[in-house]
């Protein structure tokens, strides 16, 4: 591990100032940052500890939830209003990591966690995300955990977050503050596709600190579920996951989907919201058949590789399962 | 006298020390003046070190040395002792596997050493390499007999397997594969080396055998064996990867010599993938034939496993077929394939875990083809005597294990179990477990102190299984003392020699030596008492002296151990004993057996398998402590779940490097994967196996488990997975 200096920010302004310095990094729960520092993948010179800032609050407003950047994953997952108004988010958080990690991990840190691509995490391999233009060993390598959507010839690293998948499906917006002041970024714009610059992962400028996340809580959000498929029953990143929400109209016999929300995890280079699939579902009956059709549509452009070809079918089935559960209602 | 303490389910005596952190593991040993070593490892799988830039690292404050092949001390003797592994200790510029040590930074602090290690730049010249079995299988070769397979030859044939297959009413001919696996004990490998003068070395090492480490260090540094002392008081799991001293052990001693300071070297988790061994990949072909009644007519088991370019480790996967079923026509063979990987090594139940998966899957396939209950098929070819060696079993209670397991589990065989209301598929499966009963030479020293307590020592190692506790129990009974007046100590090469803790042999070997030493001490004390003019027992016949709680009684008169010692001048009274296999033992085939039954739930759409219930019944001779033995079996069964569903060390085949190098990517079962686990024993009286009557239970728990689970998955889904682990994608 490289030597670094450590400062604890006493205010948001102080944090922003510190974070704007060269080679600085914010420290929240530390579960992603410190891990990568130990692997020497991240070697910041200056650690700005933001964990004591007063940004832990979770507020339930009419029309939506405001999640403080420092609210822990556990606190968000167990919050009664989150569970009631956006069950998919609670389920997504609880399906991630382990209780110990969730107790330390924060909303802001989860938004900015880095990929679990094994090549990104290994200095002995080539990685364009770590070192721009150096090459990528993953492309022809072990791709079981890699993305089948949104990859480029530079990078196919999957986005690892469960929380972000649920937030992406439900139009969350991220409030950030930087040296230039405050602004809001749609969650679906917050994470960038790798394209030719996989080293650029977030729509953030130096020093910009996440303050909070706002999620509108709609009817579809209230009828939402998160399904995660992984290699063991707990404590594993998603092979495939799906956040789905439905607003239904009509009686029990002739129900119709008024609005659908779908995002996939484990398969995209960013949390994979599909407006196209959502449109295809609108106006359809909530049946396996319509779900499967929408899933086919979503995955039509998938670009699987040797080890992750199974994800195409698995993603479809996972999406059908999540939509089925959402239709059944929690 | 009947043992009263041995067998009791006592809590481990070191439990308190462990949960309070008082137990010092090797990395926690406090040595004043210690410096810290951090390894730098290779990126490529095969090649040469062109240059190592060390200037930046050397300039860092607190850095004592950056040791590379250029400036490393030359070791006088790097030849490998028998049963040991070739190590890479900075003596040349060759790179023979990825993640191999290529430099070692030593600094005043751990942080300083880590930081400096990051500044070391290694330039490698890559050479073509492969880690793909298929690339090299054409060069498969027949290995020399190895101790891992009981020094048996690689190939064995009995009868006419080809004819047996021809004449069979039903045949199965399938290939099974088990992946590379990595042991991943919780405790990392750690070595602290201290030189006391130019030719005396003390090493605190996380090892399964202090004597093996001593031997290797003495040889490599050309020291008299007696000048090297190795200590290991607590080990946080070994499972085989601490069975032989690896490169880092030698490097710690080398660095300590070079910088003239004690050096502590602890491997990081990623460094534990490769240089300290792992389970090799196996590919096994099973050809099995049976008549209409399910009696086996032929059994052929051919195994290929991987090893490194520079050392032979044989995974004896086909050996299990040599002892399992009555069958006239049998052939087993082993081949090795060299790849550009680090040398694999023993991993919990080497051979039986991997071979058992293939054999017990094939048996299940055969039963299915014959539309027979797989348990009935196994009973139809029950081996009453060892089918290969034509010897009787010293004891074998497998029939009882099957019956008891079936009863406890509620085994009722259906061709297909009905799905549950929630759509989950249900399946049941079973398999046989077995593991050889090893017994090696061991010595123990028993000492009676003037306060009437005994100190018994043997240089064994407690891997966490409870050696401290069970040896104290055996010693207490042997001497005639209560538990709280016996102290058993281990883990020091200055103590009487014991074998390395591997092959489930420590309980058998060490307990036998402790038993003999304890009895000898007791008898000596009795002899001293009856010959002692100051003793109330003067003149009594030794065989009429009764012993209880440190008191000797005969004809209504008593004396105590403490008084005997005091009257003799107060110096401890001691006896040493040695136990070990004799000629008579060779007349027997010696194995533990068991049966495992499992129920699984499978998500038919998403492919997730959940092991709902796992019942195992095992017969492993005498059980020294039922509570600890249960934990051992349970741990083995959990490993079996991991082997079946989760564990796989994945290589990138292009760059020849392990890509699953931490416990987030290398999966072992999480709590949620482990539902109901029920281990049971059948107690056996076995007078042939060893003086303690112990067969060992550290490894048998993992054998058969993966097959039982795969068989249950087949029962649930109709899909036969022949390549572990059974991940969701294999069931889509
Ligand atoms: C073993 C393991 C398993 C895991 N499994 C899962 C899983 O299954 N699913 C899943 O979704 N996640 C998983 N995670 C990831 C986990 O969710 C993240 O590590 C965690 O959410 C990060 O939060 P943190 O507060 O600890 O972030 P930190 O490590 O403190 O920070 C992470 C990054 O965010 C930046 N940052 C933090 N706060 C802010 C802020 N307010 N503004 C701007 N930048 C900020 C930091 O500078 C850093 O770059 C796992 C992690 C581990 C170690």
């Amino acid at each position: 591990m490289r030597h670094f200096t450590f400062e604890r920010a006493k205010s948001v302004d102080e944090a922003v100032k510190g974070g704007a310095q060269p080679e600085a990094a914010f420290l929240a729960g530390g579960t992603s940052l410190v891990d990568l520092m130990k692997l020497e993948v991240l070697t910041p010179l200056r650690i700005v500890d933001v964990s004591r800032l007063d940004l832990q609050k979770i507020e339930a407003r009419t029309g939506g939830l405001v999640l403080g950047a420092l609210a822990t994953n556990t606190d968000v997952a167990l919050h009664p209003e989150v569970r009631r108004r956006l069950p998919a988010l609670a389920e997504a958080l609880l399906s991630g990591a382990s209780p110990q990690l969730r107790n330390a991990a924060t909303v802001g840190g989860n938004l900015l966690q880095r990929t679990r691509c094994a090549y990104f995490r290994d200095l002995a391999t080539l990685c364009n995300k770590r070192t721009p233009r150096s090459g990528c060993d993953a492309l022809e390598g072990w791709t079981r955990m890699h993305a089948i959507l949104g990859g480029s010839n530079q990078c196919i690293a999957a986005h690892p977050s469960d929380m972000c998948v649920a937030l992406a499906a439900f139009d969350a917006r991220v409030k950030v503050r930087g040296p230039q002041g405050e602004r809001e970024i749609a969650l679906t714009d917050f994470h960038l596709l790798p394209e030719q610059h996989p080293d650029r992962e977030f729509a953030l400028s130096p020093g910009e600190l996440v303050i909070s996340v706002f999620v509108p809580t709609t009817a579809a959000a209230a009828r939402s579920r998160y399904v995660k498929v992984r290699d063991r029953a707990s404590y594993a990143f998603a092979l495939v996951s799906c956040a789905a929400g439905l607003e239904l109209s009509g009686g029990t016999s002739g129900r119709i989907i008024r609005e659908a929300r779908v995002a996939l995890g484990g398969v995209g280079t960013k949390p994979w919201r599909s407006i196209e699939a959502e449109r295809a579902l609108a106006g359809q009956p909530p049946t396996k058949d319509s779900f499967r059709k929408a899933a086919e549509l979503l995955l039509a452009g998938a670009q699987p590789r040797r080890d992750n070809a199974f994800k195409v079918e698995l993603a479809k089935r996972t999406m059908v399962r999540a939509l089925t559960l959402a239709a059944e209602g929690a | 006298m009947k043992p009263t303490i041995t067998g009791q389910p006592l809590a481990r005596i070191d439990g308190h020390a462990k949960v309070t952190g008082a137990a010092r593991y090797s990395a926690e040993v406090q040595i004043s003046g210690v410096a810290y070593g951090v390894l730098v490892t290779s990126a490529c799988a095969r090649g040469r070190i062109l240059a190592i830039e060390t200037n930046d690292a050397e300039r860092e404050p607190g850095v004592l040395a950056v040791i590379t092949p250029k400036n490393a001390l030359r070791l006088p003797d790097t030849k490998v002792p028998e049963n040991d592994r070739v190590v890479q200790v900075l003596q040349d510029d060759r790179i023979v596997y990825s993640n191999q040590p290529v430099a070692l930074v030593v600094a005043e602090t751990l942080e300083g050493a880590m930081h400096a290690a990051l500044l070391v730049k290694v330039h490698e010249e890559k050479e073509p390499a492969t880690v793909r079995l298929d690339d090299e299988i054409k060069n498969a070769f027949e290995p020399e007999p190895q101790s891992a397979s009981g020094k048996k030859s690689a190939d064995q044939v009995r009868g006419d397997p080809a004819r047996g297959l021809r004449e069979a009413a039903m045949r199965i001919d399938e290939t099974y594969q088990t992946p590379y696996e990595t042991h991943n004990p919780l405790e990392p490998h750690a070595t602290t080396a201290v030189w006391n003068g130019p030719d005396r070395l003390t090493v605190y090492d996380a090892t399964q055998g202090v004597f093996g480490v001593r031997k290797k260090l003495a040889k490599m540094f050309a020291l008299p064996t007696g000048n090297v002392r190795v200590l290991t008081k607590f080990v946080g799991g070994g499972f085989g990867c601490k069975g032989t001293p690896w490169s880092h052990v030698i490097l710690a001693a080398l660095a300590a010599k070079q910088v003239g300071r004690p050096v502590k070297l602890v491997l990081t988790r990623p460094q534990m993938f490769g240089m300290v061994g792992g389970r090799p990949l196996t590919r096994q072909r099973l050809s099995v034939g049976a008549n209409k009644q399910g009696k086996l007519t032929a059994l052929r088991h051919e195994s290929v496993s991987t090893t490194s370019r520079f050392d032979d480790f044989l995974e004896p996967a086909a050996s299990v077929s040599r002892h399992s079923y009555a069958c006239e026509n049998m052939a087993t063979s082993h081949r090795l394939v060299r790849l550009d990987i680090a040398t694999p090594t023993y991993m919990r139940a080497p051979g039986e875990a991997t071979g058992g998966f293939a054999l017990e899957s094939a048996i299940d396939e055969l039963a299915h083809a014959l539309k027979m209950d797989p348990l009935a098929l196994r009973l139809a070819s029950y081996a009453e005597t060892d089918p290969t060696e034509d010897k009787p079993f010293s004891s074998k209670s497998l029939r009882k294990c099957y019956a008891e397991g079936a009863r406890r589990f509620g085994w009722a065989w259906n061709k297909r179990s009905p799905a549950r209301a929630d759509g989950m598929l249900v399946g049941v499966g079973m398999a046989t477990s077995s593991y050889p009963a090893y017994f090696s030479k061991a010595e123990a020293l028993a000492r009676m102190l003037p306060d009437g307590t005994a100190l018994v020592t043997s240089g064994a190692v407690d891997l966490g299984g409870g050696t401290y506790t069970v040896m104290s129990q055996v010693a207490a009974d042997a001497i005639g003392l209560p538990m709280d007046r016996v102290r058993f100590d281990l883990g020091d090469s200055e103590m009487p020699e014991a074998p390395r803790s591997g092959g489930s042999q420590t309980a058998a070997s060490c307990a036998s030596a402790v038993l003999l030493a304890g009895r000898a001490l007791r008898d000596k004390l009795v002899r001293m008492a009856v010959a002692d003019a100051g003793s109330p027992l003067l003149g009594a016949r030794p065989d009429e002296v009764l012993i209880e709680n440190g008191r000797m009684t005969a004809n209504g008169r008593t004396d105590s151990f403490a008084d005997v010692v005091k009257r003799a001048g107060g110096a401890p009274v001691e006896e040493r004993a040695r136990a070990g296999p004799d000629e008579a033992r060779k007349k027997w085939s010696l194995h533990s057996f068991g049966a495992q039954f499992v129920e699984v739930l499978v998500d038919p759409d998403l492919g997730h398998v959940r092991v709902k219930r796992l019942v195992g019944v095992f017969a492993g001779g005498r059980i020294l402590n039922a509570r600890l033995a249960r934990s051992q079996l349970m741990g083995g069964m959990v490993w079996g779940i991991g082997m079946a569903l989760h564990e796989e060390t994945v290589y990138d085949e292009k760059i020849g490097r392990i890509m699953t190098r931490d416990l987030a990517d290398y999966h072992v079962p999480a709590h949620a994967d482990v539902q109901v686990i029920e281990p049971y024993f059948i107690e056996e009286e076995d007078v042939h196996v060893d003086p303690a009557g112990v067969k060992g239970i550290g490894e048998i728990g993992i054998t058969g488990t993966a097959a039982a689970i795969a068989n249950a998955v087949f029962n649930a889904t109709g899909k036969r997975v022949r390549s572990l682990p059974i991940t969701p994608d294999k069931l889509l």
Side-chain angles (χ1 to χ4, degrees):
Chain A
M1 198 189 275
R2 189 186 188 189
H3 293 321
F4 56 84
T5 64
F6 181 89
E7 65 207 63
R8 179 166 287 158
K10 287 188 209 67
S11 66
V12 168
D13 286 342
E14 211 179 290
V16 168
K17 207 183 275 162
Q21 302 298 313
E23 299 203 53
F26 294 127
L27 176 77
T31 59
S32 175
L33 181 67
V34 177
D35 180 28
L36 290 166
M37 286 170 69
K38 285 198 276 188
L39 293 172
E40 293 161 354
V41 169
L42 297 182
T43 50
L45 276 179
R46 182 174 183 149
I47 297 292
V48 181
D49 179 5
V50 298
S51 67
R52 309 295 162 97
L53 298 180
D54 184 22
L55 300 170
Q56 286 93 349
K57 244 193 267 111
I58 302 167
E59 273 178 81
R61 297 190 188 151
T62 37
L65 301 162
V66 183
L67 315 173
L70 287 167
T72 67
N73 288 185
T74 301
D75 287 344
V76 177
L78 300 184
H79 196 283
E81 286 301 305
V82 174
R83 298 175 80 124
R84 196 170 66 83
R85 295 209 236 162
L86 188 48
L89 177 62
E91 286 184 314
L93 283 163
L94 290 177
S95 75
S98 65
Q100 295 91 329
L101 284 159
R102 294 194 297 265
N103 288 342
T106 63
V107 167
N110 198 321
L111 277 178
L112 281 117
Q113 68 170 296
R114 310 295 296 270
T115 179
R116 291 292 303 194
C117 170
Y119 299 86
F120 173 70
R121 293 168 60 81
D122 181 0
L123 298 185
T125 66
L126 299 178
C127 173
N128 289 321
K129 210 183 247 317
R130 234 181 23 239
T131 315
R133 307 261 150 214
S134 62
C136 169
D137 275 327
L139 290 171
E140 302 300 322
W142 175 57
T143 51
R144 180 177 159 80
M145 299 307 291
H146 286 78
I148 54 174
L149 292 165
S152 72
N153 63 358
Q154 298 287 307
C155 181
I156 51 168
H159 195 272
S161 171
D162 291 299
M163 178 190 86
C164 294
V165 176
L167 292 179
F170 296 97
D171 292 312
R173 298 194 299 272
V174 184
K175 186 199 277 187
V176 303
R177 191 183 309 163
Q180 262 71 52
E182 221 162 73
R183 62 180 181 128
E184 262 197 352
I185 309 167
L187 195 115
T188 44
D189 297 330
F190 189 85
H191 301 98
L192 308 178
L193 287 174
E195 298 180 327
Q196 294 309 300
H197 291 284
D199 52 309
R200 281 195 232 140
E201 294 187 27
F202 311 101
L204 285 184
S205 317
E208 275 189 317
L209 181 76
V210 174
I211 302 294
S212 62
V213 175
F214 174 77
V215 220
T217 45
T218 57
R223 191 185 262 280
S224 68
R225 294 298 298 268
Y226 189 76
V227 173
K228 177 173 176 179
V229 184
R230 45 191 152 171
D231 278 328
R232 60 181 164 190
S234 164
Y235 197 25
F237 288 91
L239 292 169
V240 173
S241 69
C242 178
L246 292 173
E247 184 188 349
L248 301 174
S249 64
T252 26
S253 50
R255 296 194 304 177
I256 291 293
I257 300 171
R258 181 178 294 197
E259 187 178 70
R261 294 307 179 84
V262 182
L264 296 183
V267 291
T269 51
K270 61 184 260 183
W272 205 259
R273 168 95 181 261
S274 176
I275 306 278
E276 202 186 8
E278 291 172 5
R279 286 212 185 103
L281 285 164
Q284 302 297 313
T287 60
K288 287 231 151 72
D289 212 36
S290 354
F291 299 157
R292 179 80 197 188
K293 276 199 193 112
E296 300 280 356
L297 194 65
L298 196 166
L299 285 139
Q303 290 184 305
R305 289 173 184 264
R306 189 191 63 192
D307 304 323
N308 63 12
F310 71 93
K311 282 188 175 181
V312 179
E313 177 61 23
L314 187 59
K316 292 175 190 170
R317 295 186 186 188
T318 307
M319 185 167 148
V320 171
R321 174 70 62 85
L323 285 162
T324 306
L325 290 173
E328 284 167 5
Chain B
M1 201 174 46
K2 249 185 97 62
T4 55
I5 301 170
T6 308
Q8 280 185 27
L10 303 181
R12 63 183 78 216
I13 53 185
D14 47 349
H16 188 267
K18 283 186 171 173
V19 298
T20 55
R24 286 264 157 95
Y25 289 79
S26 295
E28 299 166 327
V29 169
Q30 307 290 310
I31 303 282
S32 69
V34 79
Y36 295 82
V38 169
L39 285 178
V40 178
T41 63
S42 68
C44 76
R46 180 185 173 84
R48 210 162 60 82
I49 301 166
L50 289 177
I52 301 184
E53 290 177 44
T54 58
N55 288 351
D56 289 350
E58 280 161 348
R59 267 200 297 274
E60 281 296 314
V63 169
L64 301 169
V66 181
I67 304 173
T68 70
K70 267 231 166 80
N71 64 355
L73 276 181
R74 294 300 111 179
L75 292 171
D77 185 357
T78 51
K79 272 204 250 38
V80 189
E82 202 197 343
N83 285 337
D84 206 342
R85 304 264 71 99
V86 176
V87 291
Q88 290 71 42
V89 288
L90 307 180
Q91 301 295 298
D92 57 50
D93 63 1
R94 293 298 308 164
I95 295 170
V96 286
Y97 57 90
S98 184
N99 213 8
Q100 168 197 316
V102 292
L104 173 60
V105 177
V106 186
E108 293 285 351
T109 62
L110 178 61
E111 293 77 8
M114 287 165 69
H115 177 75
L118 187 62
L119 303 176
V120 174
K121 298 245 157 3
V122 182
H123 300 275
E124 302 176 349
E125 181 181 64
K126 261 190 241 167
E127 293 169 12
T130 182
V131 297
R132 264 168 49 95
L133 178 65
D134 287 328
D135 289 344
E136 289 288 323
I137 198 153
K138 56 183 184 295
N139 298 321
F141 66 97
E142 183 179 336
E144 297 285 311
Q146 291 192 356
S147 54
S149 46
K151 287 244 185 339
K152 305 275 163 48
S153 61
D155 294 7
Q156 285 189 10
V157 183
R158 174 195 161 98
D160 185 346
R163 190 168 136 212
L165 282 170
R166 255 194 331 271
E167 292 175 356
M170 189 60 75
R171 275 175 294 273
I172 291 295
D173 185 354
E174 294 292 351
T175 300
Y176 303 85
Q177 189 160 309
T178 62
Y180 292 104
E181 291 177 358
T182 303
H183 307 70
N184 278 308
L186 211 49
E187 181 206 25
H189 293 69
T191 308
T192 303
V194 186
W195 288 88
N196 321 100
D199 64 351
R200 290 199 161 262
L201 174 63
T202 301
V203 165
Y204 303 84
D205 187 37
T207 177
Q208 291 174 234
V210 291
F211 296 96
V213 176
R214 181 178 70 167
K215 184 167 159 191
K216 180 134 175 177
L217 284 168
K219 193 158 181 337
M220 293 196 120
F221 289 91
L223 300 169
T225 312
N227 285 17
V228 181
R229 181 176 185 190
V230 180
L231 294 119
T232 302
K233 289 300 177 183
F234 297 96
V235 177
F239 311 113
C241 67
K242 293 172 184 160
T244 48
W246 299 100
S247 308
H248 67 278
V249 178
I250 317 301
L251 287 172
L254 182 151
K257 190 156 189 129
Q258 198 151 337
V259 301
R261 292 263 296 267
V263 167
K264 181 180 284 190
L265 175 53
V266 182
L267 297 193
T268 63
R269 182 66 54 180
Q271 288 171 348
M272 287 166 70
F273 286 82
M275 77 174 84
V276 294
R279 206 192 285 283
L281 180 141
T282 74
R283 191 177 286 168
Q284 306 173 54
R285 183 170 167 197
L286 266 287
S287 316
V288 195
N291 68 18
K292 283 206 190 67
Q293 289 72 45
K295 171 95 190 60
L296 297 188
T297 59
L299 171 55
R300 184 188 283 149
H301 190 161
E302 300 161 307
S303 174
V304 177
S305 65
T306 54
T307 191
S308 64
R309 294 276 178 207
F310 50 88
D311 202 355
D312 295 359
F313 172 76
L314 172 65
E315 172 82 9
S319 299
V320 63
S321 288
R322 294 174 181 168
H323 314 285
S324 292
Y325 294 102
C327 180
E328 296 291 306
N329 307 302
M330 272 204 283
T332 49
S333 73
H334 296 93
R335 293 292 177 271
L336 280 181
V337 169
R338 291 200 191 286
L339 295 171
D340 296 293
I341 58 173
T343 312
T345 194
Y346 326 95
M347 178 160 159
R348 205 170 196 172
E352 271 68 18
T354 47
F357 166 65
L359 172 64
E360 291 296 300
S361 293
I363 294 291
D364 195 74
E365 296 206 46
L366 189 63
H368 181 75
L370 284 163
K371 301 189 170 48
M372 258 182 98
D373 178 345
L375 176 53
L377 184 123
R378 287 178 170 91
L379 288 167
S381 295
Y382 191 85
E384 300 291 353
T385 57
D386 187 304
T388 302
E389 299 183 10
D390 283 323
K391 288 176 188 174
F393 290 106
S394 64
S395 58
K396 178 173 178 178
S397 311
L398 178 56
R399 224 185 263 286
K400 277 194 202 152
C401 294
Y402 284 141
E404 181 71 358
R407 185 183 71 76
R408 295 224 180 235
F409 182 78
W411 177 255
W413 184 72
N414 281 311
K415 268 177 275 171
R416 193 80 186 261
S417 309
R420 288 201 323 191
D422 63 1
M424 292 293 270
L425 304 174
V426 182
V428 296
M430 61 143 323
T432 309
S433 300
S434 73
Y435 194 72
Y438 293 116
F439 176 40
S440 302
K441 264 192 310 217
E443 284 184 5
L445 175 68
R447 261 198 191 138
M448 186 58 65
L449 309 179
D451 64 358
T453 66
L455 173 64
V456 182
T457 55
S458 178
V461 165
D462 188 337
L463 300 183
T467 309
Y468 279 109
T469 309
V470 295
M471 294 309 148
S472 302
Q473 289 176 270
V474 171
D477 276 334
I479 301 170
L481 284 174
M483 268 296 265
D484 60 5
R485 280 162 66 193
V486 175
R487 196 164 78 80
F488 177 78
D489 202 5
L490 51 64
D492 185 340
S493 63
E494 310 274 88
M495 292 175 179
E497 185 156 351
R500 78 173 136 216
S501 285
S504 301
Q505 64 177 351
T506 288
S509 312
C510 198
S512 292
V514 166
L515 185 74
L516 299 181
R519 282 183 187 155
L521 175 63
R522 176 198 65 191
D523 293 348
K524 183 176 195 172
L525 290 163
V526 170
R527 281 197 312 274
M528 286 170 70
V530 299
D532 180 353
S535 169
L537 300 185
L538 177 68
R541 278 202 338 266
D543 62 2
E544 61 189 15
V545 177
L546 288 177
I547 296 159
E548 206 175 2
N549 285 341
R551 302 194 73 75
M552 298 170 280
T553 311
N555 312 321
R557 286 169 292 153
T558 57
D559 194 359
S560 73
F561 291 157
D563 289 340
V564 173
V565 176
K566 276 185 225 142
R567 283 195 307 268
V573 174
E574 60 181 50
E575 277 290 309
R576 210 176 246 273
R578 167 185 285 218
D582 55 13
E583 280 303 305
R585 195 176 188 266
K586 291 197 182 135
K587 292 195 300 227
W588 306 97
S589 176
L590 307 124
H591 297 265
S592 298
F593 289 98
Q596 301 203 37
F597 295 82
V598 60
E599 180 183 347
V600 299
L601 296 180
V602 184
D603 187 314
D605 300 323
L606 308 181
H608 184 73
V609 177
R610 177 161 284 221
V611 176
K612 220 181 133 218
R613 185 173 176 223
L614 184 54
V615 173
V617 180
F618 304 92
R622 160 184 271 175
I623 299 303
L624 296 174
N625 178 321
R627 181 195 311 223
L628 296 174
R630 217 178 102 79
S631 292
Q632 283 293 297
L633 293 171
M634 202 183 273
M637 291 162 84
V638 171
W639 269 59
I641 294 176
M643 182 177 180
L645 303 180
H646 309 122
E647 292 195 45
E648 180 172 14
T649 305
V650 180
Y651 278 87
D652 176 302
E653 295 184 341
K654 200 180 70 191
I655 57 179
R657 189 169 169 84
I658 295 173
M659 298 314 295
T660 48
R661 286 188 315 274
D662 62 38
L663 292 172
D665 292 337
Y666 184 89
H667 288 166
V668 297
H671 282 117
D673 292 292
V674 181
Q675 308 270 305
V676 180
I677 297 216
E678 301 173 43
Y680 301 102
F681 317 107
I682 302 284
E683 283 253 12
E684 293 176 309
E685 286 276 335
D686 189 331
V687 296
H688 309 299
V689 65
D690 52 67
V694 167
K695 285 180 174 175
I697 35 102
E699 289 167 272
I700 190 170
I702 187 185
T703 68
T705 325
I709 292 170
N711 296 342
V713 167
F714 173 77
N715 184 244
T717 64
K719 287 196 182 102
R720 181 67 68 177
V721 180
R722 299 189 184 89
S723 175
L724 296 178
I726 307 172
T727 43
D729 48 301
K730 292 182 184 165
L731 295 174
L732 292 186

